Amino acid sequence: MKVLVIGASGRLGAAAAEALADRHEVLEASRSGELTVDLTDAGSVEDLLQQVGKLDAVVACTGAVPFKPLADLSEEDFKAGFMDKVLGQVNLVRLATPYLNDGGSFTLTTGVLAREPINTGVVASLANGALESFVMAAAAELPRGLRINAVSPSVLEEATNYHDYFPGFTKVPAEAVGQAYLKSVEGIQTGRVFSLG
């Protein structure tokens, strides 16, 4: 299969690309890679899709959100997190649907904060929860047998600089997260959130 991994320069994207590369043709895109894309810019997404052509699967490992105490969050902070993590991935699905072959799949990325909050994580919780609801609803309406799922990991073992922000959380190895992306791409499930940790 021909699989596009967006956000491939990050930890999650690299794990997804590595898990998929043994069995599929993987195209890696990011804001700074050989294939460049900015999911907050519909024109950039369209340019990438025209460049890569027809696909069997699209994996999005993207989305930046601000981490601040609720009292310090502005309307602009909420908009920025929503535009980047939520609408970036939602617009990718909207724009890439015509490029997916029949029976193809989308895999989005959410995170543990959709179900377990942390201090300063309000925007991340909002974004992750919104994406998970979108996956559930979009699965019922995608055409041509297309599937959609999300991978929702806890903090990565390898992301040691984040461990202090996630006290008591189960840490998951990047390799296990990569296998969840592989399961989503090769499986038959749709409308599912694959939670790790």
Side-chain angles (χ1 to χ4, degrees):
M1 290 196 305
K2 184 178 173 185
V3 183
L4 175 64
V5 177
I6 297 178
S9 61
R11 280 192 176 103
L12 292 176
E18 184 177 345
L20 291 160
D22 286 341
R23 301 163 60 97
H24 305 288
E25 175 190 357
V26 175
L27 306 175
E28 299 183 12
S30 65
R31 285 184 171 152
S32 59
E34 187 176 321
L35 288 173
T36 59
V37 67
D38 177 354
L39 291 191
T40 65
D41 178 351
S44 173
V45 175
E46 284 281 15
D47 289 346
L48 173 66
L49 292 168
Q50 289 175 12
Q51 187 176 352
V52 300
K54 285 291 193 176
L55 298 161
D56 297 298
V58 175
V59 175
C61 304
T62 62
V65 297
F67 283 85
K68 295 180 183 178
L70 177 60
D72 296 339
L73 286 167
S74 67
E75 181 178 350
E76 288 309 309
D77 289 324
F78 281 101
K79 284 181 180 177
F82 192 82
M83 290 296 293
D84 196 305
K85 182 142 192 179
V86 181
L87 279 184
Q89 293 187 71
V90 167
N91 279 333
L92 175 64
V93 171
R94 185 176 63 82
L95 296 171
T97 293
Y99 290 86
L100 272 187
N101 291 319
D102 292 359
S105 71
F106 292 101
T107 306
L108 308 185
T109 299
T110 66
V112 69
L113 299 186
R115 52 196 182 276
E116 292 289 339
I118 61 168
N119 282 330
T120 74
V122 171
V123 177
S125 292
L126 170 73
N128 291 337
L131 278 170
E132 292 184 7
S133 293
F134 170 74
V135 164
M136 176 186 63
E141 296 192 33
L142 283 172
R144 299 180 288 106
L146 300 182
R147 298 180 302 106
I148 185 169
N149 297 298
V151 172
S152 179
S154 183
V155 64
L156 295 181
E157 283 181 1
E158 295 84 353
T160 55
N161 51 323
Y162 289 101
H163 290 177
D164 288 347
Y165 298 100
F166 291 84
F169 280 66
T170 301
K171 298 163 188 67
V172 296
E175 182 181 0
V177 179
Q179 291 303 306
Y181 287 107
L182 180 64
K183 178 180 182 179
S184 179
V185 168
E186 290 193 1
I188 61 171
Q189 300 91 339
T190 191
R192 292 276 305 278
V193 175
F194 298 113
S195 300
L196 296 96

